[in-house]
Amino acid sequence: MAGTPSKKRKHPGPKRQPPRGNPQRAHASRDPRRVEKATARDWIGAARLRTLPLAVAPVVVGTGAATLVDGLFHWALALACLVVAVALQIGVNYANDYSDGIRGTDDVRVGPARLTASRRAKPRTVLTVALIFFAIAGVTGLALTIRTQQWWFLLVGAACLVAAWFYTGGKRPYGYAGLGELFVFVFFGLVATLGTTWVQVRELPQEAWFGAVAIGLLACAVLLANNLRDIDQDRLAGKRTLSVLVGRRATQVLFTVFVLAPFVIAGFLALFYPIAWLSLLVLLLVLPAILIVWTYRAPKELVIALALTSLAAVAYAGFLFWAFVG
């Protein structure tokens, strides 16, 4: 009909043109998951410098105990023992980074990001670095064996390397079965301390045994603080650490016992070596760590407790060394 307004036709908008070039490459260039390569600082961080005092402490105590036998300082042998201990510790740290990273255990972390899990370094590269440090420890240990003619040390060294790898490596790592603290006590306490003393003087005075137990307990306390921090992530990842198995409260109790028992040992040693009383000054590091472990609200606070306990181990070792050498 005339006069009736006609409906406007809707004109279709311009057609979208398909993106030019390789769409996959364009998508990859905007991939938010891309990460930068690890820097030198990242590699140094992955060595976990906070744990290195645990490698130094048994060598210090073992060397001090050795002087009680012949009154001499065997600096070359002590330095070689230190190289073995530190290289093993760093190698273990990189091996853990590799093994936990490829398993996905470190995908969600409270502490510093790991090289493998963050994809800032290739897993093969991290593994290679771990093997290099294991090789440094092995070659130095072999030199010590040749120098001392204690050929059974080769078996001890092999056991150390196997324990270092299978902590988190292999199909059934013992660190995933609640045995981490036991092996840390044996290898970072007894083996490292007593081995240092034996290499130098071929004897094991009772002071070396007391010191080995004390240092082993402090090393276990550091591991407990670490596992308490990661308890929720480890439980989700299926990593059955001792903390996961016994729970938070029991872990807090064990940590307290492990960090205080060495001072009972120091008190006993002080009856014969009075300077050992000065080791009580290390409580200035230990007591704040205990307080943090019992009152922490955020898991990241336990990083401080871990660092304080690690420093306490080497400070405690220094006072025992002083007590032994007089």
Side-chain angles (χ1 to χ4, degrees), residues 135-153:
I136 293 173
V139 170
T140 308
L142 178 60
L144 276 172
T145 301
I146 295 173
R147 169 67 176 77
T148 61
Q149 295 294 295
Q150 301 291 301
W151 297 104
W152 56 274
F153 271 8

Side-chain angles (χ1 to χ4, degrees), residues 61 189 193 206-216 265 269 316 320 324:
V61 172
T193 306
Q206 61 183 359
E207 291 84 354
W209 287 94
F210 282 117
V213 171
I215 295 301
I265 294 174
L269 290 174
Y316 179 93
L320 283 194
F324 292 156

Side-chain angles (χ1 to χ4, degrees), residues 53 91 93 105 204 207 256-257 267 276 301:
N93 292 339
T105 307
L204 294 177
E207 291 84 354
T256 304
V257 172
E301 296 173 28

Side-chain angles (χ1 to χ4, degrees), residues 223-305:
L223 182 57
L224 280 175
N226 179 80
N227 290 342
L228 182 60
R229 180 196 66 190
D230 296 335
I231 188 170
D232 293 327
Q233 291 73 27
D234 288 343
R235 186 178 287 117
L236 291 174
K239 185 176 182 179
R240 296 168 60 82
T241 63
L242 182 61
S243 295
V244 170
L245 293 175
V246 303
R248 281 189 175 83
R249 185 65 67 199
T251 300
Q252 292 167 326
V253 172
L254 282 175
F255 178 87
T256 304
V257 172
F258 286 174
V259 297
L260 292 182
F263 296 95
V264 177
I265 294 174
F268 173 75
L269 290 174
L271 298 177
F272 311 94
Y273 306 96
I275 294 176
W277 286 115
L278 292 177
S279 67
L280 296 179
L281 292 173
V282 183
L283 288 171
L284 296 175
L285 295 172
V286 166
L287 293 179
I290 294 175
L291 182 63
I292 292 171
V293 164
W294 280 93
T295 62
Y296 78 97
R297 295 184 178 275
K300 63 182 180 181
E301 296 173 28
L302 291 169
V303 175
I304 301 175

Side-chain angles (χ1 to χ4, degrees), residues 9 118 131 266 271:
R9 293 184 179 180
S118 66
L131 294 177
L271 298 177

